[in-house]
């Protein structure tokens, strides 16, 4: 079974509709992220959450909201979808680790991504 | 926050080493260099990361210059399945965000 799942995998909707994309994880990680990907623009961070009570805006949060219902669940909502929100959306999780022996004791991260949700807004 | 610069595309012959460069001239002392790859429309996949020393795992090797201003990801024997977009990322200090950029599209040619 996949560690990070997203539902739905594909969705077509109309302008003005409310849409919710859901993400679930079985990795036990506290940190969860939502990204969108547009052709030629790489991945851009929408929102992230470091635990159930923590929500932070990313690069492009306008027009989106999120809910962290539990450690394992992080939902992304488009309150009133518009065509330029047509994109591929990815959820990710991570857990910081400390690498021993390094100067400064710097922590590092490995992010684990879901399979993506392709959203089309007509 | 340190950003990265990568060539937009590269080709590599199957079986040969693929060397993917990345410039990160504004990297700060405690920032790691990460490499991820994304195979067509799938979720990105972690490959390797490093701070100062060269690193190797079962997937690839990472060579970081002494001044840490650039690095190279090496896939020692590229296969057709290595065709993907490769992202070089420097971890931002604030908020633990990752800036993915546009990456390098690697095509492995039979």
């Amino acid at each position: 079974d996949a560690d990070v799942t997203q539902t739905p995998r594909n969705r077509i909707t109309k302008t003005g509709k409310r849409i919710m994309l859901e993400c679930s994880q079985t990795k036990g990680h506290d940190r969860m992220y939502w990204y969108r990907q547009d052709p030629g623009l790489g991945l851009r961070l929408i929102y992230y959450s470091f635990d159930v009570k923590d929500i932070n805006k990313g690069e492009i949060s306008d027009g989106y909201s999120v809910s962290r219902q539990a450690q394992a669940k992080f939902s992304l909502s488009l309150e009133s979808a518009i065509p330029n929100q047509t994109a591929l959306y990815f959820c990710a999780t991570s857990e910081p680790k400390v690498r021993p022996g390094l100067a400064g004791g710097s922590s590092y991260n490995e992010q684990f991504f879901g399979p993506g949700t392709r959203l089309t807004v007509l | 926050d340190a950003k990265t610069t990568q060539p937009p595309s590269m080709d590599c012959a199957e079986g040969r080493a693929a060397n993917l460069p990345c410039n990160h001239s504004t990297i700060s002392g405690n920032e790691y260099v990460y490499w991820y790859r994304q195979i067509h429309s799938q979720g990105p996949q972690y490959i390797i990361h490093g701070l100062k020393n060269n690193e190797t795992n079962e997937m690839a090797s990472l060579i970081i210059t002494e001044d840490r201003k650039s690095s190279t990801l090496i896939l020692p024997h590229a296969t057709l399945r290595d065709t993907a977009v490769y992202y070089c990322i420097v971890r931002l200090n604030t908020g633990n965000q990752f800036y993915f950029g546009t990456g390098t599209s690697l095509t492995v040619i039979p």
Side-chain angles (χ1 to χ4, degrees), chain A residues 57-73:
Chain A
K57 293 183 177 181
E59 294 178 69
I60 51 164
S61 58
D62 288 349
Y64 301 95
S65 62
V66 291
S67 173
R68 186 79 185 269
Q69 302 94 322
Q71 185 200 43
K73 296 185 181 297

Side-chain angles (χ1 to χ4, degrees), chain A residues 2-119:
Chain A
D3 294 321
V4 184
T5 58
Q6 294 183 230
T7 56
R9 296 293 312 279
N10 290 281
R11 180 73 183 269
I12 300 174
T13 190
K14 294 181 179 181
T15 297
K17 293 291 187 180
R18 183 178 187 275
I19 297 296
M20 179 178 286
L21 309 182
E22 300 194 20
C23 177
S24 295
Q25 52 112 349
T26 58
K27 300 191 73 66
H29 289 169
D30 285 329
R31 301 184 179 194
M32 298 187 74
Y33 308 78
W34 274 104
Y35 293 87
R36 68 175 278 176
Q37 186 171 33
D38 301 275
L41 291 179
L43 281 81
R44 292 181 292 169
L45 184 64
I46 305 173
Y47 271 96
Y48 62 101
S49 169
F50 283 176
D51 63 40
V52 176
K53 299 179 181 179
D54 177 76
I55 300 290
N56 303 281
K57 293 183 177 181
E59 294 178 69
I60 51 164
S61 58
D62 288 349
Y64 301 95
S65 62
V66 291
S67 173
R68 186 79 185 269
Q69 302 94 322
Q71 185 200 43
K73 296 185 181 297
F74 192 35
S75 300
L76 176 71
S77 294
L78 289 68
E79 295 299 327
S80 180
I82 56 177
N84 75 2
Q85 291 178 311
T86 293
L88 187 55
Y89 289 84
F90 288 103
C91 173
T93 75
S94 74
E95 191 74 7
K97 300 177 183 177
V98 176
R99 191 157 174 180
L102 285 173
S106 204
S107 66
Y108 70 96
N109 256 296
E110 175 184 347
Q111 292 200 336
F112 297 86
F113 285 81
T117 295
R118 187 169 296 279
L119 177 66

Side-chain angles (χ1 to χ4, degrees), chain B residues 77-94:
Chain B
H77 306 286
T79 70
L80 299 179
R81 288 176 296 180
D82 291 324
T83 292
V85 177
Y86 288 77
Y87 297 97
C88 169
I89 303 158
V90 174
R91 173 184 166 273
L92 303 176
N93 281 336
T94 56

